[in-house]
């Protein structure tokens, strides 16, 4: 059963396809399926869990077709079946979206129809430039999934708010914490390389 659901070539290809759609790492167990839904908005959680459960159910049907009726699985038909079932299941999904490109892409892909957007409060934000003679290194890192494909970025400004440098890069598969730490370390290395004596992060 473990091989059938997670490790055979057919299941690996299906999980890779589904994980790419939702931008999560490939699950290796039932627990992984629930963990992959964390930090997602309500409608995406429902869509992911619905799709994953349909995939598992269809794997079992495909196994029976192969054993008892000698019908070979067709990966294109399988994907179409999953899309159709998730789309039909969308009628029962009551979750809200965050109205981001990520949400809209998945809703459009599975044809889930119009969904309510969760109200988001717009807040103003600002930052104070560094003191005269100081340089500000604005740095951050993030990953798509946790862990997932990760990267970092740095923007360097002087006391006049002018951008004097920028840097960005990918670091492969990592957690959010590692990506953020890598950004700070890279900013420190950049400051040393430039010979900066007075700087802020």
């Amino acid at each position: 059963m473990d091989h059938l659901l997670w490790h055979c070539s057919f299941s690996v290809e299906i999980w890779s396809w589904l994980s790419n759609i939702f931008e999560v790492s490939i699950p290796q167990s039932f627990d992984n399926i629930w963990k992959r839904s964390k930090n997602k908005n309500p409608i995406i959680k429902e869509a992911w869990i619905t799709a994953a459960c349909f995939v598992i159910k269809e794997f079992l049907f495909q196994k029976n077709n192969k054993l008892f009726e000698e019908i070979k699985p067709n990966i294109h038909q399988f994907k179409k079946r999953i899309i159709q079932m998730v789309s039909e299941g969308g009628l029962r999904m009551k979750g809200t979206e965050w109205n981001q490109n990520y949400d809209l892409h998945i809703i459009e892909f599975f044809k889930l129809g119009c969904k309510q957007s969760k109200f988001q409060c717009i807040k103003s934000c600002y930052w104070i430039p560094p003191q005269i003679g100081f340089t500000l290194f604005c740095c951050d890192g993030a990953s798509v999934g946790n862990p997932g494909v990760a990267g970092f970025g740095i923007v360097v400004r002087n006391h006049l708010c002018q951008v004097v440098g920028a840097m960005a890069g990918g670091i492969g598969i990592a957690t959010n914490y590692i990506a953020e730490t890598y950004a700070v370390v890279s900013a420190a290395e950049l400051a040393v390389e430039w010979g900066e004596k007075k700087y802020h992060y």
Side-chain angles (χ1 to χ4, degrees), residues 77-171:
Q77 291 297 325
F78 191 99
K79 291 178 180 178
K80 287 177 62 177
R81 177 77 174 145
I82 297 302
I83 293 171
Q84 178 186 355
M85 288 190 291
V86 175
S87 177
E88 292 172 356
L91 297 173
R92 296 184 295 275
M93 295 180 190
K94 303 300 182 184
T96 56
E97 59 169 307
W98 288 346
N99 203 28
Q100 298 174 341
N101 288 336
Y102 170 75
D103 302 357
L104 299 176
H105 166 71
I106 292 175
I107 291 171
E108 174 65 23
F109 184 86
F110 288 106
K111 298 179 175 58
L112 298 178
C114 296
K115 299 296 177 182
Q116 291 183 340
S117 296
K118 185 176 181 181
F119 175 75
Q120 296 180 355
C121 180
I122 300 175
K123 296 182 179 180
S124 61
C125 63
Y126 62 91
W127 64 280
I128 301 172
Q131 300 171 352
I132 296 175
F134 279 79
T135 304
L136 178 64
F137 288 78
C138 302
C139 54
D140 196 12
S143 64
V144 181
N146 197 20
V149 179
F152 71 97
I154 303 169
V155 177
V156 187
R157 295 178 182 270
N158 60 18
H159 67 276
L160 299 175
C161 297
Q162 297 171 327
V163 176
V164 296
M167 186 168 96
I171 57 176

Side-chain angles (χ1 to χ4, degrees), residues 59-75:
F59 281 157
L60 298 176
F61 285 158
Q62 289 292 329
K63 181 201 74 168
N64 291 338
N65 289 339
K66 181 70 169 61
L67 288 178
F68 301 114
E69 300 182 27
E70 297 184 357
I71 300 175
K72 292 184 178 180
N74 183 306
I75 197 152

Side-chain angles (χ1 to χ4, degrees), residues 34-71:
W34 300 108
K35 288 178 181 178
R36 299 297 184 269
S37 69
K38 286 185 177 180
N39 303 320
K40 304 291 185 184
N41 68 52
I43 187 63
I44 301 305
K45 279 185 179 180
E46 289 186 66
W48 163 253
I49 292 173
T50 300
C53 290
F54 277 139
V55 164
I56 291 171
K57 184 192 76 170
E58 288 299 305
F59 281 157
L60 298 176
F61 285 158
Q62 289 292 329
K63 181 201 74 168
N64 291 338
N65 289 339
K66 181 70 169 61
L67 288 178
F68 301 114
E69 300 182 27
E70 297 184 357
I71 300 175

